[in-house]
Amino acid sequence: MTTKRYETAILFDPELPEDARKEFLVKLTGIVAGYKGEVLKTDDWGNRKLAYAIKKKTNAFYTFLLYTGDRGVVEEVERNIKIFEGILRHLTTLHTAELKPKIEAAAPPSSDAPADSGTPAPETPAPETPQAPAAPAEA
């Protein structure tokens, strides 16, 4: 059985100090580890304007948490999110998209390939396509 991946979007109160937010995310990482899972990615989007006010706030600090874990991990993560005072909204979904591997730095060209001299390559003309004869013009 393959482990399932989950993504939780968390909208933090914009007035919440950064250290409190990071401390809470570390706590969530520990909870996920307790369920034999791991946090695959933490993506902070920063302060963004909300489409509508939530608890009289017009901005929120967006954080996305991508993780795996055994049965019950989502319930425990959401339970802790509900207890924490500095969160405006949250949403957990089953993550089905494939993870893109990190792109490594571009390797220098090998010595076998010709070096780019900075001049553009000559363009080859496009092959001409046969055109249908023009219809006779009526007078």
Side-chain angles (χ1 to χ4, degrees):
M1 182 175 133
T2 61
T3 59
K4 293 181 180 180
R5 289 184 311 229
Y6 304 99
E7 183 175 41
T8 300
I10 305 170
L11 277 61
F12 287 99
D13 186 336
E15 298 170 1
L16 185 70
E18 183 179 355
D19 58 337
R21 187 174 56 244
K22 291 189 184 240
E23 183 179 314
F24 181 70
L25 291 174
V26 168
K27 179 180 179 181
L28 289 182
T29 302
I31 291 168
V32 170
Y35 281 85
K36 298 179 184 159
E38 68 174 311
V39 174
L40 303 173
K41 184 178 179 184
T42 302
D43 195 11
D44 289 333
W45 282 17
N47 276 326
R48 300 284 177 113
K49 184 168 175 48
L50 297 170
Y52 55 90
I54 300 174
K55 297 182 184 177
K56 298 183 181 180
K57 308 284 182 178
T58 57
N59 289 334
F61 190 92
Y62 283 67
T63 299
F64 293 86
L65 198 65
L66 182 65
Y67 57 95
T68 61
D70 285 346
R71 178 178 294 201
V73 67
V74 173
E75 289 82 5
E76 188 62 23
V77 166
E78 288 189 348
R79 186 182 75 80
N80 280 274
I81 287 174
K82 290 175 185 174
I83 293 171
F84 190 68
E85 292 291 323
I87 295 179
L88 301 176
R89 287 276 197 279
H90 73 280
L91 176 69
T92 301
T93 57
L94 185 62
H95 191 269
T96 56
E98 289 297 318
L99 290 178
K100 295 180 183 176
K102 291 185 179 180
I103 298 173
E104 297 297 324
S110 64
S111 60
D112 296 340
D116 186 17
S117 62
T119 57
E123 293 184 18
T124 57
E128 292 185 26
T129 57
Q131 295 181 352
E138 293 185 30

